[in-house]
């Protein structure tokens, strides 16, 4: 196979207020025709910049290629004018993006935007382009393509939009498809569908794919070769078998060890790479990874390692070879010493005598009216949560999973009385919350706190973090200013931040640190219950691990009970004692964490678990994914709501809603034909 | 769509009624006796004053006065002028076309200047055109209309003699006042469009469009502009209210016969029915314009159109 794309020593600079900033340096990589190469690394590693440099989209962001060449099929892209590039963009090379919702122009129809790509590069009439576009939409698996052509982006789901995006990218049969985190914003089930589609299309169109991802599981599943980037440099390059078998660079090793899988032991502490990626303005000397590297020596501090050829692969580490030799076999299978924390909790969990309920929820429903206006009555109700019953025990972590639109977040908000329940009862520490008046609730609120998803949006940017963390204390406790400050500083320390950072503002912190601020605020009042709504979803894998470890430490020290809502299934499995699975407002299964993953009874749970990419290239799993998408909650299917997507559905499922039954002790499921 | 339309119209009617109540209350509570401003207090006997008050219905309690006024409005009777007993509505209708022409002309002027400059300055950020645009924005917002009006008269009528300095007949007499009045709006719109354009340019979908190989022209004028205009339309709609208010000054400066002048004169003469009538009439115009703006949204923004 010949090289389709060849990057040699590419350096990209950005013009900023403080002069030139080098975003990526000396990046060399090749992609052969028909090959899939994955670019992995944490956010800030330069993956996206590299891809935008190839498309020369950096030109629009005050960036320029200051050194090196990017040769696509014999043409050096780095030297072309924008006019010449336009002939190649969308035709020879195309790109799909992370957030399909934001990647379409909201005021033009889908059809219009796909046709635009066709008309730009092909000499065809509009009606021909129209037919081509319909054909493309059909090919990427969009039902009713003619109708979709006339729809606007806000009328399609994220999964559908990403398919449409792919259709648009394929419009002129590109040879290179760059996919920048194409599934990060999507549910795991849809992710699986999209990845499968990309695999099929790659063969069909005989194109090469440069896939950018932070998910090692996706890389393992898709890639022929993997390139690991860190702080703007390539640190390792190997075939995916080689890389997973024996990562050479300490950073790669760290990344692989940060992954939790279905096989990892829940009692173990999650591995995390300490610290975070350095900002462009403050690059460490020598090897850029040395401040976070456990093996760093004096040499690493002084000299920057080049990419060495070792064992038929490339690594930019001074000690790569020795490390591999001395610690042969180290890798993802290495077991961290288990921490004793979880064990006593397990005992407590199994001894029925000591079971103390914190939350007892019965028949809880939450419905929102739709189409309600000033003069119109609600035309229908959306049952976001429908007749849900479960309990949360004191000291446990209850996980809640399900696709977006399943009602997990709504359930969390209703539990905390941030929204009023439409029906049902919520008993919290024996108290019926739904009957309380706002003033009475105030007292109990201090016992229930929240950690939010978005560490950027959930703190006031104009407040010092000391004030942010101290606010709950202001509201609920009458403290002297100095006492309060002392309390806040202790909290800062408890969540792994420095006492002296009291006066800093949120923008001075990284995402992970901000999430720590959010956690400090949540535990400020010594609550008994904390709702973590997608609290780690926006963070990089290694930072995710840091936060999860912190949450578990705090749980042990403060006796907290968590409701952990997330769509990252492995992380939920790791942190939760029991897990509830939601689908279209209904709880469909509850079981102990391991039990649920080992013996899922509901076919939806099974589908969810099977959709998770496995970070092991040798275990290319059977392409399996749940078909279709979650239906609209405004008009849920009859009978078992899952029957439209269920592989085991029968006539009975269509008519009769399944009863909530206990198939084993502590394992509940709502299914007529549990697996 | 139809439902939405009806809902908007009903809401507009409520707003108009609210405006009516508000106008009536304000003028009712205003200090000063209109009767005394009609009759000379030095010569009028208490009986004359009392008779006058009865004749005008001013001796009735508040709600009766309002009821009478409202009933009149519904029949197209805005009352009669206290000064010369002319009916108010025909007076307004007589002078409204001149004001309408002025408002329209300055709206067009400010929208064109505002949008063109705003878009160009956003695309060519930090270039000379951006500096011009920012200056227009700054001056437009900070210069009072009477001052820019006088300045325009001085330059273009007195020195250059290109346009008439006063009067309200013909197209030529419209140019200077609409420039003076539209300049304020242009300032607002330039800033607004520039900001919203800059915002749109940094949206993700712009990158997508470029990655398709579209030319910058297509990206900017076909896609970005249409998105950026959505908030601009609101501003233009709201601004028409300011223009109506601005005519009071500009029509005086340029000695034009419009309803701005009518209300200015009426205020001087404490001619309450005329003041009430003009304010209420302007409120109707304002509500209608904003109703149209609201509906035009759905033409530009499919999200609004399909949401209904």
């Amino acid at each position: 196979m010949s090289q389709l794309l060849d990057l040699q020593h590419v350096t990209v600079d950005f013009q900023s207020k403080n002069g030139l900033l080098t975003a990526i340096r000396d990046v060399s990589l090749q992609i052969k025709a028909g090959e899939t190469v994955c670019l992995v690394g944490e956010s800030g590693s330069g993956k996206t910049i590299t891809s935008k440099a190839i498309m020369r989209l950096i030109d629009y962001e005050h960036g320029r290629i200051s050194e090196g060449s990017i040769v696509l099929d014999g043409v050096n892209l780095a030297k072309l004018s924008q006019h010449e590039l336009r002939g190649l963009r969308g035709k020879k090379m195309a790109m799909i993006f992370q957030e399909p919702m934001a990647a379409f122009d909201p005021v033009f129809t889908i059809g219009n935007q796909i046709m635009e790509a066709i008309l730009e590069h092909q000499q065809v009439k509009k009606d021909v382009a129209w037919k081509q576009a319909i054909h493309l939409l059909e090919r990427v698996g969009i039902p009713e393509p003619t109708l979709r052509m006339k729809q606007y982006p806000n009328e399609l789901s994220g999964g559908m939009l990403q398919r449409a995006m792919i259709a648009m990218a394929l419009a002129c049969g590109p040879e290179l498809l760059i996919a920048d985190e194409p599934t990060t914003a999507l549910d795991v089930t849809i992710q699986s569908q999209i990845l499968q589609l990309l695999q099929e299309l790659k063969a069909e169109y005989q194109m090469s794919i440069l896939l950018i991802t932070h998910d090692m599981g996706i890389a393992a599943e898709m890639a022929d070769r993997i390139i690991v980037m860190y702080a703007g440099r390539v640190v390792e390059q190997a075939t995916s078998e080689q890389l997973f078998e024996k990562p050479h660079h300490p950073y790669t090793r760290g990344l692989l060890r940060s992954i939790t899988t279905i096989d990892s032991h829940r009692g173990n502490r999650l591995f995390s790479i300490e610290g975070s990626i350095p900002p462009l303005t403050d690059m460490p000397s020598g090897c850029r990874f040395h401040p976070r590297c456990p093996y760093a020596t004096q040499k690493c501090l002084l000299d920057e390692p080049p990419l060495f050829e070792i064992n038929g692969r490339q690594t930019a580490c001074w000690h790569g070879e020795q490390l591999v030799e001395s610690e042969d076999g180290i890798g993802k299978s290495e077991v961290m010493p288990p921490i004793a924390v979880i064990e006593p909790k397990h005992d407590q969990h199994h001894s029925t005598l000591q079971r103390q309920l914190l939350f007892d929820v019965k028949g809880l429903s939450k419905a929102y009216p739709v189409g309600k206006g000033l003069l119109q009555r609600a035309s229908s109700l959306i049952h976001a949560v429908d007749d849900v019953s479960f309990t949360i025990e004191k000291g446990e972590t209850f996980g809640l999973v399900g696709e977006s639109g399943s009602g997990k977040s709504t359930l969390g908000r209703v539990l905390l009385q941030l929204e009023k329940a439409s029906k049902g009862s919520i008993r919290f520490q024996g108290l019926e919350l739904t009957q309380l008046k706002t003033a009475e609730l105030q007292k109990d609120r201090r016992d229930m706190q929240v950690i939010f998803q978005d560490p950027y949006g959930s703190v006031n940017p104009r407040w010092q973090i000391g004030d942010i963390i101290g606010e709950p204390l202001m509201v609920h406790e009458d403290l002297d200013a100095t006492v309060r400050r002392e309390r806040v500083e202790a909290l800062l320390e408890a969540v792994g931040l420095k006492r002296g950072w009291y006066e800093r503002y949120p923008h001075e912190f990284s995402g992970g640190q901000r999430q720590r601020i959010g956690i400090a605020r949540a535990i400020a009042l010594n609550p008994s219950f904390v709702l973590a709504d997608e609290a780690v979803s926006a963070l990089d894998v290694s930072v995710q691990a840091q936060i999860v470890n912190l949450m578990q430490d705090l749980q042990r020290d403060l006796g907290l009970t968590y409701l952990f809502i997330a769509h990252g299934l492995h992380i939920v499995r790791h942190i939760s004692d029991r897990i509830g699975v939601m689908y279209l407002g209904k709880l469909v299964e509850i079981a102990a964490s391991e039990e649920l993953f080992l013996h899922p009874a509901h076919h939806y749970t099974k589908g969810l678990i099977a959709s998770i990419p496995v970070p092991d290239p040798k275990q290319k799993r059977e392409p399996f994914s749940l078909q279709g998408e979650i239906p609209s909650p405004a008009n849920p299917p009859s009978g078992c709501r899952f029957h439209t997507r269920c592989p085991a559905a029968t006539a009975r499922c269509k008519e009769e809603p399944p009863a909530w039954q206990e198939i084993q002790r502590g394992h509940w499921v709502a299914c007529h034909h549990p697996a | 769509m139809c439902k939405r339309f009806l809902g908007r119209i009903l809401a507009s009617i409520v707003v108009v009624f609210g405006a009516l109540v508000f106008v009536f209350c304000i003028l009712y509570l205003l200090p000063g006796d209109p009767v005394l401003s009609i009759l000379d207090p030095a010569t009028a006997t208490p009986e004359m004053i009392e008779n006058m008050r009865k004749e005008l219905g001013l001796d009735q309690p508040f709600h009766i006065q309002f009821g009478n006024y409202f009933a009149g409005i519904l029949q197209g009777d805005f009352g009669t002028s206290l000064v010369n007993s002319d009916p108010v509505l025909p007076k307004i209708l007589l002078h409204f076309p001149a004001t309408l022409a002025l408002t329209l002309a300055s709206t067009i002027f400010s929208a064109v200047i505002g949008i063109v400059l705003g878009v160009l300055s956003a695309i060519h950020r930090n270039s000379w055109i951006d500096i011009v645009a920012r200056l227009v924005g700054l001056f437009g917002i900070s210069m009072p209309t009477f001052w820019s009006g006088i300045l325009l008269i001085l330059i273009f009528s007195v020195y250059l003699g290109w346009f008439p300095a006063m009067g309200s007949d013909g197209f030529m007499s419209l140019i200077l006042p609409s420039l003076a009045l539209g300049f304020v709006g242009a300032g607002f719109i330039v800033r607004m469009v520039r900001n919203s354009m800059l915002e749109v340019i940094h949206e993700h979908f712009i990158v997508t469009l470029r990655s398709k190989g579209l030319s910058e022209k297509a990206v900017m004028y076909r896609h970005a502009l249409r998105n950026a205009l959505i908030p601009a339309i609101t501003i233009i709609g709201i601004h028409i209210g300011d223009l109506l208010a601005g005519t009071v000054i500009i029509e005086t400066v340029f000695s034009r016969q419009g309803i701005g002048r009518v209300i200015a004169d009426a205020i001087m003469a404490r001619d309450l029915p005329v003041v009430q009538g003009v304010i209420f009439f302007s409120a109707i115009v304002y509500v209608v314009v904003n109703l149209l703006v609201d509906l035009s949204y759905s033409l530009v923004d499919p999200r609004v159109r399909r949401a209904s």
Side-chain angles (χ1 to χ4, degrees), chain A residues 377-439:
Chain A
R377 254 201 253 160
S379 49
S380 65
L381 290 172
I382 287 185
H383 295 277
V385 174
D386 196 2
D387 194 12
V388 164
S389 304
F390 68 105
T391 58
I392 301 177
E393 289 159 30
K394 237 182 194 136
E396 79 166 339
T397 299
F398 189 85
L400 208 51
V401 298
E403 293 164 285
S404 30
S406 62
K408 336 184 266 300
S409 289
T410 309
L411 178 56
R413 286 200 301 269
V414 175
L415 278 193
L416 259 62
Q417 299 297 305
L418 296 173
E419 297 194 36
K420 283 272 161 224
S422 316
K423 227 170 40 196
S425 100
I426 305 168
R427 294 188 83 82
F428 175 67
Q429 298 179 329
L431 202 69
E432 180 60 55
L433 292 182
T434 49
Q435 303 299 326
L436 292 184
K437 300 212 173 63
T438 318

Side-chain angles (χ1 to χ4, degrees), chain A residues 50-235:
Chain A
T50 307
S51 66
K52 281 189 171 169
I54 298 169
M55 295 287 281
R56 282 278 300 281
L57 291 167
I58 48 163
D59 294 34
Y60 298 103
E61 294 162 19
H62 306 290
R64 66 186 183 95
I65 299 166
S66 56
E67 268 171 68
S69 62
I70 300 172
V71 177
L72 176 73
D73 208 10
V75 183
N76 186 356
L77 301 177
K79 294 266 178 288
L80 294 188
S81 68
Q82 280 299 332
H83 182 75
E84 291 164 311
L85 279 163
R86 268 179 36 215
L88 298 176
R89 278 190 207 129
K91 191 175 184 191
K92 242 178 138 65
M93 48 181 184
M95 193 159 174
I96 55 179
F97 299 90
Q98 177 167 358
E99 279 174 61
M101 309 289 191
F104 279 97
D105 185 341
V107 302
F108 283 82
T109 58
I110 300 291
N112 215 315
Q113 298 188 55
I114 297 177
M115 283 167 60
E116 199 174 38
I118 299 171
L119 294 170
E120 184 72 31
H121 297 289
Q122 298 174 22
Q123 308 297 322
V124 292
K125 288 239 171 61
K126 267 201 165 166
D127 56 323
V128 179
W130 175 265
K131 279 189 196 122
Q132 273 188 30
I134 289 181
H135 181 75
L136 282 164
L137 286 179
E138 221 161 19
R139 176 60 199 92
V140 296
I142 292 184
E144 302 173 85
T146 320
L147 172 72
R148 305 293 171 203
M149 288 285 283
K150 293 175 200 151
Q151 283 185 316
Y152 288 89
N154 64 312
E155 297 170 286
L156 267 65
S157 69
M160 282 301 151
L161 281 177
Q162 197 57 294
R163 284 173 193 270
M165 191 76 195
I166 293 172
M168 190 157 78
L170 293 178
C172 301
E175 289 164 46
L176 173 69
L177 179 70
I178 300 175
D180 186 359
E181 304 265 11
T183 58
T184 309
L186 306 174
D187 279 312
V188 61
T189 49
I190 308 299
Q191 161 168 297
S192 170
Q193 294 173 7
I194 296 284
L195 292 179
Q196 213 174 309
L197 175 70
L198 281 175
Q199 295 277 36
E200 287 169 28
L201 292 170
K202 181 190 143 189
E204 197 175 316
Y205 283 76
Q206 295 174 333
M207 52 184 184
S208 309
I209 297 182
L210 177 64
L211 181 69
I212 295 168
T213 179
H214 65 275
D215 185 332
M216 295 305 279
I218 294 178
E221 200 150 281
M222 301 286 290
D224 298 314
R225 234 151 20 86
I226 297 177
I227 295 165
V228 184
M229 288 190 76
Y230 182 78
R233 297 211 57 189
V234 172
V235 293

Side-chain angles (χ1 to χ4, degrees), chain A residues 60 86 89-90 102-108 113 116-117 120-121 150 152 154-155 165 168 375-376, chain B residues 3 7 10 204-205 207-216 222-223 226-227 230 300 302-303 305-306:
Chain A
Y60 298 103
R86 268 179 36 215
R89 278 190 207 129
F104 279 97
D105 185 341
V107 302
F108 283 82
Q113 298 188 55
E116 199 174 38
E120 184 72 31
H121 297 289
K150 293 175 200 151
Y152 288 89
N154 64 312
E155 297 170 286
M165 191 76 195
M168 190 157 78
L375 299 154
Q376 294 153 347
Chain B
K3 230 182 199 169
L10 280 176
H204 287 295
F205 69 82
V207 184
T208 313
L209 294 168
R210 286 179 178 143
S211 79
K212 286 199 286 193
L214 295 191
S215 67
E216 273 307 282
R222 200 186 310 158
H223 289 276
R226 190 157 160 200
N227 280 281
I230 296 168
V300 191
R303 284 166 294 191
R305 192 185 322 155
R306 297 284 176 103

Side-chain angles (χ1 to χ4, degrees), chain A residues 581-611:
Chain A
V581 183
M582 282 192 83
Y583 186 76
L584 267 182
K586 290 269 191 198
L587 257 178
V588 296
E589 186 163 7
I590 290 182
S593 182
E594 263 109 6
E595 166 75 9
L596 187 86
F597 274 74
L598 290 175
H599 310 290
H602 200 281
H603 296 278
Y604 178 60
T605 315
K606 254 179 99 174
L608 276 182
I609 295 170
S611 303

Side-chain angles (χ1 to χ4, degrees), chain A residues 496-514:
Chain A
L497 300 173
K498 295 211 172 75
R499 278 174 175 259
W501 291 351
Y502 188 98
E503 266 115 21
R504 295 202 180 180
Y505 288 89
H507 70 90
E508 298 174 65
F509 295 92
S510 69
Q513 287 173 325
R514 284 189 211 202

